Amino acid sequence: MDNKDTTHSHLLSFLNAIPPVDFCCVYGSTLHSTDPGKSTMVDYILGVSDPLQWHSENLKMNADHYASWMVLLGGAKLITNVADKLGVGVHFNPYVTWNNKMLKYGVVRMHDLIQDILNWESFYLSGRLQKPVNMLVDNLDIETINSVNLRAAVSAALLLLPPKFTEEDLYAKICSLSYMGDVRMLFAEDRNKVKKIVQGQFDLFQSMYKPFLEEYEGKDFLRFSSSKNQLANISQV
C-alpha cells in the first residue's frame, strides 16, 4: 500500500469512532503531505441530517471531544443552538487527539451545507469547497452540487482580475475570495497564505477548474497561451 492509500485509509478510520455522517471531507495540508505519519492537524467537515441527534449520539461516544462547559450546561441542545444562532451553522470540536493524531472536525446540517454551496448564504463552507478537498463520504452527491459553487467562483474571480493574468493568478484570486473581509489576514494569519495554498496544491486546483476554463475558452470568453514556465497566460476577451 502506497503513502496515498495509507493516508486515505487512516482518514477514513476516524469515521468508525463517531456516529454515521452523510458527508465528510478533509482539507488543508493533509491533502499534499508526503508523510502520513507527520504530526499535522487533520481538518474534517462532517455533514449530518440532524445535528441535534448526531451530537446527542456523539456525546455518548466522545464527550471528551467537546468543551466541558457546553456538555455540563446544555449538552447537544446547547451545542446545536450556539452553532445555529451565534455561528454559521457549524460546530467545531478542535484539538481532538485520536490514534496519535491531532484533528478538528466541524459538524453542519446537510440542508445548510447545500444552501451555502448554492447561494453563498454564509460563504463559510462554500468558500472552503472552492479549494481542494478530499471527499471521503458523499451520500447526497455534494461533489456534483458543488460545480455550481466552482463556476460562480471562477466568474467572481474573473470580475476581479485584470484583462490579462496567469493561471496561478486565477487560482489565487479564487482562493482569496473566502478571506476577503477576514481580519485575521490583517494581523494573525500568514499574509502569503493564499500563495502557499495555490503553489502547494496547484495540480489539484487545475483538476478542479479545468472543465470551466475549457468551457469559457470554447465560448471565446477566455484565450490561453503558454509561458516559459509552462503556466498558462490567460486573456479575457
Side-chain angles (χ1 to χ4, degrees):
M1 184 178 290
D2 62 22
N3 279 351
K4 185 175 181 180
D5 289 336
T6 301
T7 301
H8 186 78
S9 297
H10 182 83
L11 295 172
L12 272 173
S13 64
F14 171 64
L15 300 182
N16 296 324
I18 59 175
V21 299
D22 291 315
F23 174 79
C24 172
C25 71
V26 296
Y27 61 93
S29 59
T30 303
L31 290 177
H32 53 90
S33 175
T34 57
D35 182 2
K38 189 177 179 182
S39 58
T40 55
M41 175 78 79
V42 182
D43 301 282
Y44 289 81
I45 295 294
L46 308 175
V48 302
S49 59
D50 184 346
L52 179 61
Q53 179 181 349
W54 192 91
H55 287 301
S56 296
E57 295 176 12
N58 197 40
L59 281 167
K60 296 174 184 176
M61 301 169 67
N62 302 295
D64 59 326
H65 290 183
Y66 296 82
S68 58
W69 68 269
M70 299 192 87
V71 177
L72 293 172
L73 293 180
K77 186 174 181 179
L78 175 63
I79 292 164
T80 305
N81 284 340
V82 168
D84 288 343
K85 296 177 181 180
L86 299 180
V88 291
V90 186
H91 171 80
F92 272 98
N93 282 335
Y95 308 114
V96 173
T97 302
W98 181 82
N99 203 12
N100 298 317
K101 294 284 286 186
M102 184 71 73
L103 59 87
K104 69 178 179 183
Y105 60 92
V107 181
V108 63
R109 184 180 290 102
M110 287 301 299
H111 173 79
D112 295 343
L113 172 62
I114 291 170
Q115 289 303 306
D116 196 34
I117 289 171
L118 295 177
N119 302 314
W120 289 6
E121 290 196 353
S122 70
F123 204 57
Y124 186 73
L125 295 178
S126 54
R128 162 42 53 198
L129 291 174
Q130 290 167 0
K131 307 175 188 69
V133 299
N134 184 350
M135 293 190 185
L136 303 175
V137 178
D138 191 12
N139 294 343
L140 299 185
D141 201 12
I142 294 299
E143 185 171 14
T144 297
I145 296 171
N146 195 47
S147 63
V148 175
N149 181 33
L150 300 184
R151 183 186 298 276
V154 173
S155 298
L158 291 176
L159 289 172
L160 297 170
L161 285 165
K164 295 184 179 181
F165 51 90
T166 67
E167 190 176 3
E168 184 176 311
D169 292 335
L170 173 64
Y171 301 145
K173 186 60 68 175
I174 290 171
C175 186
S176 71
L177 293 175
S178 60
Y179 296 122
M180 290 181 175
D182 189 338
V183 295
R184 294 176 303 170
M185 297 301 287
L186 297 177
F187 303 103
E189 293 281 352
D190 182 351
R191 297 196 180 186
N192 292 318
K193 182 174 183 176
V194 168
K195 185 175 182 180
K196 289 178 180 178
I197 291 172
V198 172
Q199 291 181 345
Q201 305 181 51
F202 189 83
D203 291 346
L204 298 176
F205 275 98
Q206 276 190 317
S207 64
M208 286 178 70
Y209 289 100
K210 183 178 179 180
F212 306 104
L213 299 182
E214 289 180 342
E215 176 188 338
Y216 287 8
E217 183 181 26
K219 292 179 177 178
D220 280 337
F221 295 158
L222 299 175
R223 290 178 183 166
F224 292 79
S225 60
S226 298
S227 62
K228 293 180 181 179
N229 57 6
Q230 304 302 312
L231 297 180
N233 289 318
I234 305 173
S235 300
Q236 301 195 58
V237 181

